Amino acid sequence: MSFVVPVDRWTLARTALSVSSDRFRSLLTVDSEPEAMATRDWTVSDTAAHVVSIAMLYVTLVEGDEPPLQIPDIRAALSAANVDTVADVNDYVLRHFTERDPARLAELLGEATDAVLAATTRLPPEKTVQWLGDARVPIAGMVAHLVNELLVHGWDIARVLRRPWSMPDDYASLYFDQFFLGMLHHDYGVLLDTSRAMPKRPIAVQFRSAYTPTATVVLGDGRIRLTPPDDPVDVRLRFRPARFNLMLFGRTGPAVAAMRRDVVVGGPRPWRLPAFLRVVHMPNARYAPAAP
C-alpha cells in the first residue's frame, strides 16, 4: 500500500512550520534568558542551537547540498543512530555547532525554515529522504518532525521563561501520521532497535485520535509493521496529539497523561503495552536500555 499525503495535510504541515518557526524565534528575541536551563542538560541557547542544527540539516536534505554544519563524520553518525543513542549524536553536533547568540540563532532558524519551504514547493511530499538511522522518511514527515521539534523545545524554553506556549493539536498530530506512519510505510532502518528482546508473540496496538487516521502497529517476529486498522488488536490507545507528544518525549509521565485523559488505554490485553513500548518508542530516558 502506497503512502499518499492528502493535500490538506501537506498544506497544514507547511503552515505549521512557518507559524511555529516564527513563534519559536520570538522566544529568542523578546526578553530571552539564554543561560537559563531549559532542560536538565541544555540552556535556552543550547536548546535553540539544537533545533537550528536540525533545520539546517533539513535544508541539505531537500536542496541536495553538502551540510552547512562543518561537523566531522556527521553523515556516519546520523546513519548509525537509533532512538536510544540519538542523544549522543545531539551532544556531538552541539560540541561542533558553537553558535549560541539568541538573535543569530533566530536569524539562522528563519533562513533555514524559508529555505525548506521554498525547496519543498518543487518536491512531492511523498518523496523520501534518508533520515536518522538510515530510515526513509517522506518530505511531509520531515517537515512534520521539524514542527514537532519546534513545538516540544518551544515548550521547554517557554516554561523556563514563564511565557505562554500553545501546542495546537492539529499541528502536533502531523508527527504521528506524516512522520511516524510515513516512516513505517517506507523503512525505519535501524532507528527503532529491533535487536532488543522481542515479545514471544506479536503485539498489535491500535492508535486513534480525532486528528489522525486510525492505524494499527504490530511488533513481532523481529520487525515492526503496519496492518489494516480493523485487524484484531491487543491494545487500543486513544490520544490527544499535543499532550501525547509531550509524553512520548518525556516531558510528562504516563500517569499524568492517563489522569488527564490525554492518553486512554484499553483493548483486550492492555497490559501488553509496556512490552511494545520497550522497542517502539521515541527518545525518552524512561525506555532507554540500562547502561552496561
Side-chain angles (χ1 to χ4, degrees):
M1 182 170 58
S2 62
F3 182 75
V4 177
V5 179
V7 172
D8 62 331
R9 297 299 280 171
W10 182 223
T11 300
L12 177 65
R14 294 172 57 79
T15 299
L17 178 56
S18 178
V19 171
S20 301
S21 175
D22 287 346
R23 291 178 58 224
F24 190 98
R25 292 170 64 208
S26 74
L27 293 174
L28 304 178
T29 55
V30 180
D31 298 326
S32 186
E33 300 174 30
E35 298 305 317
M37 296 304 295
T39 70
R40 184 182 65 181
D41 301 311
W42 289 347
T43 66
V44 167
S45 285
D46 293 334
T47 303
H50 164 68
V51 174
V52 170
S53 70
I54 293 172
M56 293 173 73
L57 172 65
Y58 287 177
V59 174
T60 300
L61 293 184
V62 294
E63 290 187 347
D65 298 328
E66 285 301 308
L69 302 170
Q70 299 303 310
I71 299 175
D73 302 319
I74 183 59
R75 292 191 186 277
L78 294 173
S79 293
N82 65 44
V83 294
D84 298 318
T85 64
V86 69
D88 298 329
V89 177
N90 291 337
D91 290 341
Y92 177 73
V93 170
L94 288 180
R95 286 197 299 273
H96 290 84
F97 178 51
T98 58
E99 181 61 71
R100 294 295 184 274
D101 177 69
R104 179 57 179 154
L105 289 168
E107 183 180 12
L108 289 171
L109 178 60
E111 292 172 358
T113 299
D114 288 346
V116 168
L117 289 171
T120 54
T121 61
R122 305 184 296 271
L123 299 170
E126 295 87 1
K127 176 181 171 63
T128 62
V129 294
Q130 186 174 5
W131 203 70
L132 285 172
D134 277 342
R136 301 297 303 186
V137 175
I139 284 175
M142 183 202 74
V143 170
H145 177 267
L146 184 51
V147 169
N148 187 65
E149 290 289 309
L150 292 162
L151 292 178
V152 172
H153 289 299
W155 185 90
D156 291 333
I157 294 173
R159 187 169 61 105
V160 73
L161 297 182
R162 298 171 296 281
R163 301 262 291 276
W165 185 256
S166 64
M167 294 180 64
D169 278 312
D170 56 347
Y171 288 9
S173 71
L174 294 160
Y175 183 80
F176 179 76
D177 70 323
Q178 298 305 307
F179 171 75
F180 181 63
L181 297 185
M183 178 178 66
L184 292 186
H185 268 281
H186 294 289
D187 187 356
Y188 56 83
V190 299
L191 187 67
L192 299 173
D193 187 2
T194 52
S195 69
R196 300 181 69 177
M198 281 281 169
K200 292 183 179 178
R201 66 180 183 83
I203 304 173
V205 180
Q206 182 190 80
F207 293 85
R208 184 187 296 269
S209 85
Y211 297 85
T212 59
T214 298
T216 297
V217 181
V218 177
L219 169 68
D221 303 320
R223 63 193 181 104
I224 302 155
R225 66 187 188 278
L226 292 168
T227 62
D230 294 329
D231 277 11
V233 299
D234 300 290
V235 184
R236 295 188 181 92
L237 189 152
R238 179 178 289 274
F239 62 95
R240 295 174 179 168
R243 302 297 301 186
F244 182 55
N245 290 358
L246 288 175
M247 186 195 78
L248 288 177
F249 289 90
R251 269 55 179 188
T252 60
V256 172
M259 183 174 61
R260 292 171 53 104
R261 297 188 68 78
D262 296 322
V263 176
V264 178
V265 178
R269 289 167 290 278
W271 59 85
R272 303 201 73 202
L273 182 60
F276 177 90
L277 292 175
R278 279 196 290 272
V279 176
V280 186
H281 61 264
M282 299 300 119
N284 187 333
R286 180 182 298 273
Y287 302 111

